[in-house]
């Protein structure tokens, strides 16, 4: 058997040396595998005693180690004990470099995924307050960058001219960009939303004829739950073309309302009305009175203009306050004998006296005279 192993060879290397290399590869694989297990176990015990998330992320990244990677590393390192021809030795070096590069890219990709998941989970919830667009876009960009660098490094290692390759990718990228310019426009619009933050998830916005709460900001579209209940899906580019009213960021609401009273109201009572209005506004909570003035002589009323502020941004609070003010004014005006005006028109007709009727008798028209004579 020993003579047979010495007699047979492959690539000029006896078979017993190949068996020796295989044995070394098996031992190295067991060492790598056990070392990987022990490292994860030790790090897990350390992570339980610390409050930081970095060690937990490191454990999750290491758990992404591929078993095939360990096997390839052990095999390639075992083959290095053989005196291979230079051509095969160079090929093994290339394979070893590719294996390590791909595994490093897998680790980095997994790390970016864990970071994105942790950040998104921190801003998600029953009332999210942050926009997840930046996290999504950055994670996507980082992953593309990681795998692009890994691909270019591998190609450069195997002897490919990456300068010409990158130039070709640039030309192809321009063609692809022209083909998908609408999608890229929405993508950059979502990036603009993430950077500029004109609104965030949970904000109540109004633009055009749409009013609702932002539910989700995606890479291409933004989803809004309208006040009538349906979900409105709007492209990010089209959304940013509109003037957006963000009511959630409103610190206080300015309210302007008017009313008119009858022209028969005495001037002394008119002078007391601003004070009555002030008491009506200050009697309600969450309000700050600004002014109340006799503004103008209307067509059928004496017009007053009132301005006050509500310190709450809740629309229901605003309506409750306005209702209480209206009821207060109705009671006070009734007590002071003040009537609200409504559109009226007074016609002044001249009174006909007996003398004027005798001196100016109403004569029938010629057509009427003819009809009467015909009857006779």
């Amino acid at each position: 058997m020993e003579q047979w192993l010495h007699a047979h060879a492959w690539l000029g290397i006896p078979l017993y040396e190949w068996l020796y290399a295989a044995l070394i590869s098996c031992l190295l694989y067991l060492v790598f595998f056990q070392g990987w297990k022990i490292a994860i176990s030790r790090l897990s015990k350390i992570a339980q005693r610390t409050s930081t998330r970095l060690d937990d992320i490191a454990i999750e990244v290491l758990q992404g180690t591929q078993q095939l990677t360990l096997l390839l590393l052990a095999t390639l390192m075992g083959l290095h004990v053989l005196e291979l021809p230079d051509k095969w030795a160079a090929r093994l070096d290339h394979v070893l470099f590719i294996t390590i590069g791909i595994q490093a890219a897998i680790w980095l990709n997994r790390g970016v995924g864990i970071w994105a998941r942790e950040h998104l989970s921190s801003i998600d919830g029953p009332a999210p307050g942050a926009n997840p667009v930046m996290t999504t876009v950055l994670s996507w960009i980082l992953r593309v960058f990681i795998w692009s660098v890994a691909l270019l490094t591998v190609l450069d290692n195997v002897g490919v001219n990456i300068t010409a390759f990158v130039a070709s990718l640039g030309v192809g990228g321009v063609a692809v960009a022209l083909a998908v310019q609408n999608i890229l426009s929405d993508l950059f619009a979502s990036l603009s939303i993430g950077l500029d933050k004109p609104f965030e998830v949970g904000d109540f916005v109004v633009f055009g004829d749409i009013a609702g709460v932002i539910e989700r900001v995606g890479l291409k579209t933004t989803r809004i739950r309208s006040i009538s209940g349906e979900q409105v899906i709007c492209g990010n580019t089209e959304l940013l073309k509109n003037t957006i009213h963000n009511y959630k960021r409103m610190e206080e609401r300015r309210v302007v309302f008017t009313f008119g009273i009858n022209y028969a109201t005495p001037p002394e009572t008119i002078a007391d009305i601003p004070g009555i209005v002030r008491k009506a506004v200050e009697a309600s909570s969450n309000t700050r009175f600004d002014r109340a003035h006799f503004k103008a002589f209307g067509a059928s009323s004496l017009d007053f203009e009132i301005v006050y502020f509500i310190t709450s941004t809740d629309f229901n609070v605003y309506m409750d306050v306005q209702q209480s003010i209206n009821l207060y004014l109705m009671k006070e005006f009734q007590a002071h004998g003040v009537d609200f005006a409504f559109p009226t028109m007074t016609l002044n007709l001249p009174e006909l006296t007996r003398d004027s009727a005798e001196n100016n008798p109403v004569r029938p028209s010629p057509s009427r005279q003819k009809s009467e004579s015909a009857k006779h």
Side-chain angles (χ1 to χ4, degrees), residues 38 48-50 59 76 86 107 110 115-116 118 157 161 174 180 209 260 300 306 316 344 347 368:
I38 293 172
Q48 292 176 357
R49 299 193 297 266
T50 60
I59 293 172
L76 293 172
D86 294 339
W107 282 334
R110 189 177 179 87
W115 167 78
E118 293 285 331
N157 184 261
N161 185 5
V174 171
V180 295
D209 58 348
S300 58
I306 293 85
N316 290 334
T344 58
L347 299 177
R368 185 175 180 183

Side-chain angles (χ1 to χ4, degrees), residues 36-49 59:
W36 175 65
K37 287 286 189 181
I38 293 172
I40 291 178
S41 177
R42 294 287 179 86
L43 287 175
S44 299
K45 292 179 180 179
I46 295 173
Q48 292 176 357
R49 299 193 297 266
I59 293 172

Side-chain angles (χ1 to χ4, degrees), residues 205-358:
V205 298
V206 175
F207 63 95
D209 58 348
I210 298 174
V213 178
I214 302 293
E215 283 193 339
R216 181 179 179 273
V217 181
L219 294 177
K220 189 178 188 311
T221 60
T222 295
R223 294 170 186 173
I224 304 168
R225 183 65 60 181
S226 71
I227 56 177
S228 55
E230 74 274 13
Q231 187 182 65
V232 179
I233 302 174
C234 182
N236 292 328
T237 304
E238 293 298 323
L239 179 60
L240 291 183
K241 289 180 180 179
N242 293 275
T243 300
I244 301 172
H245 302 265
N246 192 333
Y247 283 90
K248 189 172 182 180
R249 296 179 183 175
M250 180 174 58
E251 296 181 356
E252 57 182 12
R253 186 186 297 270
R254 184 176 185 267
V255 182
V256 180
F257 73 97
T258 61
F259 62 83
I261 62 172
N262 199 306
Y263 263 96
T265 308
E268 297 79 8
T269 306
I270 293 175
D272 295 335
I273 289 179
I276 296 174
V277 175
R278 184 186 187 102
K279 292 179 181 178
V281 173
E282 293 178 346
S284 301
S285 58
N286 300 317
T287 58
R288 179 167 59 84
F289 178 78
D290 186 27
R291 62 181 178 85
H293 291 97
F294 172 30
K295 180 182 178 182
F297 296 93
S300 58
S301 63
L302 303 175
D303 297 333
F304 283 78
E305 183 178 74
I306 293 85
V307 179
Y308 70 94
F309 292 88
I310 296 180
T311 56
S312 172
T313 60
D314 191 345
F315 185 79
N316 290 334
V317 173
Y318 154 61
M319 292 303 298
D320 291 340
V321 169
Q322 187 63 52
Q323 176 179 262
S324 66
I325 292 174
N326 293 340
L327 293 174
Y328 187 98
L329 292 178
M330 291 182 68
K331 293 177 182 178
E332 289 296 317
F333 285 1
Q334 186 176 9
H336 287 76
V338 178
D339 294 329
F340 285 101
F342 52 87
T344 58
M345 180 179 293
T346 302
L347 299 177
N348 295 318
L349 299 176
E351 183 179 356
L352 295 177
T353 63
R354 181 182 297 272
D355 294 338
S356 62
E358 291 176 354

Side-chain angles (χ1 to χ4, degrees), residues 97-98 101 146-160 162:
F97 182 84
I98 293 172
I146 289 169
W147 287 108
S148 298
V149 171
L151 176 62
L152 293 176
T153 305
V154 168
L155 292 176
D156 181 65
N157 184 261
V158 298
V160 177
I162 62 172

Side-chain angles (χ1 to χ4, degrees), residues 40 43 53-64 114:
I40 291 178
L43 287 175
R53 283 287 302 164
L54 292 177
D55 44 14
D56 297 322
I57 294 175
I59 293 172
E60 289 192 53
V61 170
L62 286 178
Q63 286 176 343
I114 295 170

